[in-house]
Amino acid sequence: MESNQQPNFADETLLARWLSGDVTEAEKQEVEGHPHFEDWKRLIQATDRFEAPAYQANQSWKQLKAAREKPAPTVKVRSLNSWVAWAAALVGLALISYFLWPAAAASILQTGTGDQMVQRLPDGSTVRLNAESELNYTITDKEENRRLNLKGEAFFSVSKGAEFVVETSRGTVQVLGTEFNVYARESDFWVNCLEGSVAVRSNEGEKQEINAGESAYLLPNGRLVRRSNQVLAEPSWWNGQTQFREANLKDVLAEFSRQYPIEIIYEELPTKKYTGPLPHNEAEAALELISTAMGLSYTFVDDKTVRLNLVAE
């Protein structure tokens, strides 16, 4: 199926701002007076029918965080002689383990296209993975050296303890106990801090320390910069959409293919930037929003392939 809708808005972000309610009364009338307004309204309403899974995932995250914060159970005190016997037994088991047992195996968490995962780690921290992401770790408890390797995007809520390090292909994030979001895909690397503070270091040796409400971005020239931004209580991708601001269209389409098992093909793309949402639960609604804002039409070649074309002006 094909869409040839192209608005005549002077402001290419008007549709996205109308979706978020950030428009004047005159701008609202301009959007609602467009001949294709009813089609947009129908597609946007379709996304509302798919909110239950995201809500359940948020509930799982909250339950895991609540469980992590529960106090440790009371331990009964044994007599001195009992403790001596137990200590001797533990030393013997430790020696046997050291010489006979292999090192702890690495654990791997993976998500596929359109999937998310919430997992409690052995140290009591919690992690939430976005689509097509992978996390490797060998954590045993909060007092051990906690090192993880991330490919993709994840949100961490870290329990207090030994140093907690997230390694990526472009840099590392070091914390003691905080909440932060890490994005590490191909050449892109950025970190948002929602609580506490984190130290971000690039592979080029640059370092930035950021606090709650700040982000660190790795620029194409290799510089790591700190920015202040309005951080939400939870990342937008938790709630069934990815929010873009002045993003390259190739990056937007790459995220589309992570959320849907659909390949996007094209011969030419506009050079202007995309600002607006990418819904995760209705492929055609997402394509409609992107193509309308960017002056494109789309055609379903088959169930797994979509072709994009520039609309002639």
Side-chain angles (χ1 to χ4, degrees):
M1 91 183 40
E2 183 173 351
S3 169
N4 292 309
Q5 300 174 16
Q6 182 180 19
N8 295 319
F9 300 147
D11 181 357
E12 64 189 40
T13 69
L14 181 56
L15 181 58
R17 291 192 292 107
W18 174 79
L19 287 169
S20 63
D22 185 22
V23 290
T24 64
E25 184 62 31
E27 290 173 329
K28 179 181 178 183
Q29 293 177 5
E30 181 181 357
V31 174
E32 296 181 354
H34 195 277
H36 295 297
F37 172 72
E38 290 300 322
D39 294 330
W40 298 336
K41 185 177 178 181
R42 174 180 56 80
L43 287 167
I44 294 166
Q45 288 173 342
T47 66
D48 294 338
R49 298 196 297 268
F50 297 87
E51 291 183 352
Y55 173 78
Q56 294 170 357
N58 288 343
Q59 286 296 103
S60 299
W61 173 263
K62 291 174 182 177
Q63 291 170 2
L64 279 170
K65 287 186 66 179
R68 193 199 76 188
E69 294 167 358
K70 288 177 63 176
T74 304
V75 179
K76 293 183 178 180
V77 178
R78 298 177 179 271
S79 67
L80 180 60
N81 290 337
S82 297
W83 276 117
V84 171
W86 274 101
L90 290 174
V91 169
L93 287 173
L95 290 173
I96 293 173
S97 300
Y98 180 82
F99 289 106
L100 299 181
W101 289 1
S107 297
I108 301 176
L109 303 178
Q110 290 180 310
T111 52
T113 302
D115 293 335
Q116 291 186 21
M117 176 188 294
V118 178
Q119 180 72 33
R120 184 179 183 182
L121 303 177
D123 68 329
S125 300
T126 46
V127 61
R128 182 166 183 163
L129 289 178
N130 201 354
E132 293 191 6
S133 299
E134 179 180 310
L135 186 70
N136 291 264
Y137 61 92
T138 54
I139 295 174
T140 56
D141 61 60
K142 66 176 60 179
E143 300 307 325
E144 293 291 330
N145 188 18
R146 303 180 291 178
R147 302 189 76 87
L148 310 89
N149 186 277
L150 173 67
K151 297 177 182 177
E153 184 172 15
F155 182 88
F156 296 88
S157 180
V158 181
S159 62
K160 292 184 178 180
E163 185 178 59
F164 190 100
V165 179
V166 179
E167 299 174 333
T168 77
S169 62
R170 298 305 306 273
T172 61
V173 186
Q174 296 173 294
V175 302
L176 294 178
T178 186
E179 293 187 346
F180 60 99
N181 194 85
V182 182
Y183 184 97
R185 298 188 189 275
E186 298 177 352
S187 61
D188 294 324
F189 176 57
W190 52 263
V191 180
N192 282 349
C193 182
L194 278 75
E195 180 181 291
S197 61
V198 301
V200 184
R201 185 185 299 274
S202 71
N203 288 348
E204 290 77 12
E206 296 213 1
K207 182 178 179 180
Q208 290 286 352
E209 294 186 2
I210 59 174
N211 301 311
E214 295 182 326
S215 302
Y217 287 85
L218 184 64
L219 301 179
N221 63 7
R223 286 194 58 209
L224 188 66
V225 298
R226 183 176 64 182
R227 297 176 181 172
S228 296
N229 60 293
Q230 184 180 2
V231 178
L232 302 177
E234 23 184 70
S236 64
W237 56 269
W238 288 20
N239 299 309
Q241 67 173 2
T242 298
Q243 189 69 36
F244 291 97
R245 182 175 180 83
E246 293 294 311
N248 290 324
L249 185 53
K250 286 185 178 180
D251 294 335
V252 178
L253 297 179
E255 186 62 30
F256 177 92
S257 293
R258 294 186 192 106
Q259 301 299 335
Y260 302 101
I262 297 175
E263 179 186 5
I264 303 290
I265 58 176
Y266 52 84
E267 293 182 0
E268 185 180 1
L269 291 176
T271 57
K272 61 183 179 180
K273 308 293 186 180
Y274 176 73
T275 296
L278 171 66
H280 294 177
N281 38 30
E282 179 58 49
E284 191 167 353
L287 287 169
E288 191 71 33
L289 289 172
I290 295 170
S291 61
T292 298
M294 303 302 290
L296 296 165
S297 65
Y298 64 89
T299 305
F300 278 89
V301 179
D302 52 45
D303 290 343
K304 301 295 183 182
T305 311
V306 167
R307 179 183 298 277
L308 293 181
N309 295 293
L310 292 172
V311 174
E313 297 184 358

